[in-house]
Amino acid sequence: MRQLFLRLAPLFAAATLIPLSAEPSARPEIVEVRKLWDKAPHNAFTDLIRFRERWYLAFREGSTHFSADGAIRILTSADGERWSDAARLALDGVDLRDPKFSISPVNTLILSTAGAFPENAAQHHQSYVFISSDGRDWTKPIPTGDPNVWMWRVTWHRERGYSIGYSTWGPPLIRLYTTTNGMQWSSLVDELLTDNYPNESALLFRGDDTAYCLLRRDKGSTTALLGHSRPPYRAWTWRDLGVRLGGPQMIRLPDDRIVVGARFHDGKEHTALAWLDLETVKLTQFLTLPSGGDNSYPGMVFHDGLLWVSYYSSHEGKAAIYLAKVKLPRPASPAKNGWMPPKRY
């Protein structure tokens, strides 16, 4: 027995050199990227959601990036592999743009969008919502907000919906709206911000009820802002992120880290993912998705350990719809933000 132990001892010693907590990879990994749709001349402006155990992906179809025939196409899938048509939403003479999904407190699927009217019309833009219980049959478009104030993404928190709209005509401003049912909206803050043409946004709420807003700007420095506010969300503090981006979206992971998806303008325009540190107000890109030219406007869902990202890009020719699956590394410091690895028995 003693001789056997002496022969095996070097192996036990060598094994102790490998930390038990070592991670297999500290880098994010693109598991898969697929082109899902390119049937229209121009396919763009995506969003992605899981609703009643199915996937739904929405985007705009049109002749060009800006064209009067813009309509919303919705695809659905049970497994994320095989996709089929669920619906096509259109409004005569109106260019429907930038569809965004949300789920109401009564478990209905809401699609928010904005319509661009012809140049000679008295009104330039109107926001709408469509509502469905199954992702296939939808209500007629329901006007929301104010004329010429483009309401962006709807985010729900404690059974209230919030959306930031931006002025498309007249003095620049963003306006914070709120709702309890997704159909009737009221203004919570009429002029949330006015400097340097603020417009597209993403809202996020943390467990302590603090609201965060990632905001695109297109004048002056053109750099994005990060705002935060406490209930009742009437007073906001803004800090400059120092980077230019478009089509922003952000998602809070189960471990409390924040991922941002957007079009970045550092050199070649591309769609990328970034970590957002809320304490230092720092945005750090960590993964570029296959993209270029006319691109971005991602939707993001974290499901079964993977980050699913819908987006559009013209890097392979005309603008088409893509779906990526991304594996994210665990936090470098597991105890940060209250995250701890799961127990294993």
Side-chain angles (χ1 to χ4, degrees):
M1 180 64 70
R2 183 173 182 274
Q3 294 298 323
L4 177 62
F5 174 79
L6 291 175
R7 289 198 300 271
L8 295 178
L11 299 179
F12 288 117
T16 62
L17 297 177
I18 304 174
L20 295 177
S21 61
E23 298 294 342
S25 174
R27 296 176 179 273
E29 174 188 352
I30 297 178
V31 176
E32 180 186 62
V33 177
R34 283 197 294 152
K35 181 191 293 185
L36 288 188
W37 191 272
D38 65 354
K39 293 183 180 181
H42 191 270
N43 312 269
F45 317 125
T46 80
D47 200 25
L48 182 69
I49 201 167
R50 278 187 64 79
F51 175 67
R52 298 187 177 183
E53 303 303 318
R54 291 190 66 88
W55 291 99
Y56 292 90
L57 193 159
F59 54 93
R60 175 190 179 271
E61 293 182 315
S63 298
T64 64
H65 191 108
F66 298 102
S67 57
D69 60 352
I72 306 304
R73 175 79 63 182
I74 301 173
L75 305 181
T76 186
S77 173
D79 57 8
E81 299 297 325
R82 296 173 295 275
W83 293 80
S84 61
D85 270 320
R88 186 176 185 271
L89 307 178
L91 193 56
D92 288 343
V94 178
D95 176 14
L96 293 182
R97 307 181 63 84
D98 297 288
K100 309 293 180 191
F101 283 124
S102 68
I103 299 173
S104 76
V106 294
N107 201 30
T108 56
L109 187 58
I110 296 179
L111 185 137
S112 56
T113 183
F117 292 87
E119 290 185 3
N120 58 355
Q123 184 177 338
H124 296 271
H125 295 92
Q126 177 63 54
S127 299
Y128 299 98
V129 295
F130 296 81
I131 299 176
S132 175
S133 60
D134 61 5
R136 295 183 179 274
D137 294 322
W138 295 81
T139 64
K140 293 181 178 180
I142 302 169
T144 57
D146 302 297
N148 300 326
V149 178
W150 191 321
M151 295 173 65
W152 205 243
R153 186 181 297 273
V154 178
T155 302
W156 294 86
H157 179 66
R158 299 194 184 279
E159 298 192 346
R160 294 195 69 89
Y162 298 86
S163 179
I164 289 180
Y166 68 92
S167 173
T168 62
W169 189 254
L173 63 83
I174 56 172
R175 179 170 294 163
L176 179 59
Y177 293 91
T178 186
T179 185
T180 56
N181 59 17
M183 295 176 288
Q184 288 85 32
W185 292 80
S186 60
S187 174
L188 187 61
V189 184
D190 285 340
E191 292 190 7
L192 190 58
L193 200 68
T194 60
D195 296 337
N196 295 328
Y197 190 52
N199 51 93
E200 301 166 356
S201 61
L203 283 171
L204 179 148
F205 294 84
R206 297 185 77 181
D208 65 355
D209 295 326
T210 302
Y212 292 87
C213 174
L214 180 60
L215 181 67
R216 172 180 175 177
R217 297 187 299 171
D218 283 342
K219 289 187 177 180
S221 67
T222 70
T223 50
L225 297 180
L226 181 69
H228 72 273
S229 179
R230 295 284 299 160
Y233 309 119
R234 296 184 182 275
W236 288 71
T237 300
W238 299 92
R239 294 177 67 180
D240 197 327
L241 284 166
V243 296
R244 184 184 176 196
L245 50 79
Q249 171 60 327
M250 57 181 175
I251 184 173
R252 182 160 64 102
L253 302 178
D255 56 44
D256 214 33
R257 291 178 297 170
I258 308 298
V259 177
V260 167
R263 178 178 64 236
F264 288 83
H265 295 261
D266 47 342
K268 181 182 177 182
E269 293 186 357
H270 59 281
T271 301
L273 304 176
W275 299 115
L276 175 61
D277 190 315
L278 298 177
E279 281 67 42
T280 63
V281 193
K282 184 178 180 182
L283 199 59
T284 304
Q285 290 185 55
F286 65 83
L287 187 67
T288 296
L289 298 173
S291 56
D294 190 3
N295 72 97
S296 185
Y297 292 77
M300 296 189 293
V301 175
F302 189 78
H303 177 67
D304 282 348
L306 293 177
L307 182 64
W308 296 57
V309 186
S310 66
Y311 68 104
Y312 85 96
S313 178
S314 61
H315 66 287
E316 293 184 310
K318 68 179 181 180
I321 306 302
Y322 294 84
L323 180 66
K325 301 177 189 178
V326 178
K327 184 178 181 181
L328 299 174
R330 291 183 179 179
S333 301
K336 187 178 180 180
N337 298 325
W339 183 90
M340 291 296 291
K343 292 182 179 180
R344 300 186 183 276
Y345 296 95

